[in-house]
């Protein structure tokens, strides 16, 4: 039985057959496969470039000319710049800050720190001290050492080296002078060296033999010389006896000013 199709139905069947035939053709299947491979290769190259730039390139750069960063802390800006230039590095002052320990114009800190491996030509960032903020050495001359230490501590300072000197005018254990002098800016390291009096130098005497002499006269002489004197009667002798029969220290011994001399009195026989 013959079935007649409309022109529209016949056209649709022809279009379907044409499309199926294009896809299933061996030539076009190979072309599609090649295109897919090219797309995958392109995507792989893009991913590879990203990985190389992110991970491999920094490693390759680090394999170049590298140097160790020197320590420039506590150097002046000029000294730091000169030292860094010798190693092929540069510096840049990042900030300036007040500090009671680091003198003005000296480097307080650096970034990167000392001993770091960096590329030649790297810029080190520096923190520079402005010195102490209005602090100065207090007036401690004429004060006892203990009080001077307290005054220094209030200003964040400490006693440094203490040197003793004899003085006729300044009492013992009293500050004669300071270095840095009072009024000077906060010292590097925060220490102040002191010159302290050890008082009036004591005189020394060499004892002579006082036996047979008047105890009262010798006592007056010894006291005038700054010595302490004790007079006692020899056991068994009259208390009013004035003749010296024994002495301590004995003749030939050395005694300092303020020392004690003991005189024993009695009457010699015959």
């Amino acid at each position: 039985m013959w079935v007649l199709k409309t022109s529209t139905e016949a056209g649709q069947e022809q279009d379907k057959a044409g499309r199926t035939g294009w896809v299933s053709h061996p030539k076009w299947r190979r072309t599609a496969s090649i295109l897919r491979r090219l797309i995958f290769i392109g995507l792989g190259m893009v991913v590879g470039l990203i990985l190389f730039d992110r991970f491999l390139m920094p490693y390759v750069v680090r394999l170049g000319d590298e140097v160790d960063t020197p320590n420039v802390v506590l150097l002046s800006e000029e000294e730091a710049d000169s030292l860094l230039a010798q190693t092929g590095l540069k510096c840049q002052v990042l900030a300036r800050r007040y500090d009671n320990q680091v003198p003005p114009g000296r480097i307080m800190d650096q970034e990167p720190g000392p001993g770091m491996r960096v590329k030649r030509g790297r810029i080190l960032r520096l923190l520079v001290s402005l010195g102490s903020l209005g602090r100065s050495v207090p007036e401690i001359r004429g004060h006892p050492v203990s009080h001077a230490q307290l005054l220094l501590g209030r200003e964040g300072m400490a006693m440094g080296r203490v040197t003793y000197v004899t003085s006729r005018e300044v009492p013992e254990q009293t500050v004669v002078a300071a270095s840095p002098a009072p009024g000077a800016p906060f010292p590097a390291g925060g220490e102040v060296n002191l010159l302290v009096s050890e008082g009036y130098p004591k005189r020394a005497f060499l004892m002579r033999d006082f036996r047979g002499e008047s105890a009262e006269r010798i006592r007056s002489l010894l006291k005038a010389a700054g010595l302490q004197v004790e007079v006692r009667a020899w056991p068994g002798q009259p208390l009013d006896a004035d003749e010296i029969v024994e002495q301590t220290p004995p003749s030939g011994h050395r005694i300092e000013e303020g020392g004690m001399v003991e005189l024993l009195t009695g009457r010699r026989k015959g």
Side-chain angles (χ1 to χ4, degrees):
M1 181 178 180
W2 295 94
V3 178
L4 296 178
K5 297 181 179 180
T6 64
S7 59
T8 302
E9 292 176 346
Q12 290 177 349
E13 288 182 358
Q14 289 178 359
D15 290 342
K16 181 178 180 181
R19 288 196 300 269
T20 304
W22 182 85
V23 174
S24 61
H25 196 283
K27 179 180 178 180
W28 294 113
R29 284 202 301 270
R30 288 195 297 269
T31 302
S33 177
I34 293 172
L35 289 175
R36 285 196 297 270
R37 291 178 182 177
L38 290 175
I39 292 173
F40 288 142
I41 292 173
L43 290 174
M45 292 178 65
V46 172
V47 173
L49 288 174
I50 294 175
L51 293 177
F52 180 80
D53 183 66
R54 292 288 183 88
F55 301 102
L56 296 179
M57 182 58 74
Y59 177 75
V60 172
V61 171
R62 286 196 296 269
L63 293 179
D65 190 10
E66 295 182 335
V67 293
D68 291 332
T69 55
N71 187 2
V72 298
V73 175
L74 295 183
L75 297 183
S76 66
E77 292 185 54
E78 294 76 13
E79 293 170 340
D81 183 67
S82 176
L83 180 59
L84 292 172
Q86 295 175 15
T87 55
L89 301 173
K90 302 176 183 179
C91 64
Q92 177 185 14
V93 177
L94 185 63
R96 300 179 187 272
R97 185 180 303 165
Y98 289 102
D99 189 90
N100 292 332
Q101 304 297 326
V102 182
R106 299 284 173 169
I107 307 302
M108 296 170 54
D109 198 6
Q110 66 180 77
E111 175 61 35
M116 301 295 292
R117 295 289 293 177
V118 298
K119 191 75 173 175
R120 191 180 295 273
R122 174 75 177 270
I123 297 178
L124 268 70
R125 296 180 294 275
L126 306 179
L127 182 63
V128 181
S129 172
L130 290 173
S132 61
L133 183 59
R135 290 190 178 184
S136 59
V137 178
E139 179 58 82
I140 54 177
R141 292 171 297 189
H143 291 271
V145 175
S146 57
H147 190 215
Q149 186 174 14
L150 179 62
L151 293 175
L152 291 173
R154 289 176 179 174
E155 298 298 327
M157 307 177 197
M159 282 199 315
R161 184 177 64 256
V162 178
T163 304
Y164 288 90
V165 61
T166 57
S167 174
R168 295 177 181 270
E169 294 80 16
V170 182
E172 187 177 1
Q173 290 296 310
T174 301
V175 177
V176 178
S179 177
F186 194 99
E191 290 190 348
V192 178
N193 300 322
L194 304 182
L195 186 65
V196 178
S197 171
E198 59 181 7
Y200 184 79
K202 294 182 178 181
R203 295 177 295 173
F205 305 94
L206 192 65
M207 293 290 292
R208 66 178 180 85
D209 192 352
F210 298 126
R211 290 177 298 182
E213 298 189 47
S214 167
E216 190 61 33
R217 186 177 69 84
I218 295 301
R219 176 167 59 180
S220 298
L221 291 174
L222 294 177
K223 282 193 172 183
L227 298 172
Q228 302 181 59
V229 183
E230 181 180 359
V231 178
R232 293 189 298 109
W234 187 270
Q237 295 291 324
L239 296 178
D240 59 349
D242 187 52
E243 182 182 355
I244 300 173
V245 295
E246 195 59 71
Q247 67 185 62
T248 303
S251 176
H253 278 65
R254 185 176 179 274
I255 185 172
E256 288 187 346
E257 184 178 6
M260 173 65 72
V261 177
E262 184 180 27
L263 302 176
L264 298 179
T265 61
R267 290 192 177 93
R268 295 179 180 272
K269 294 182 179 180

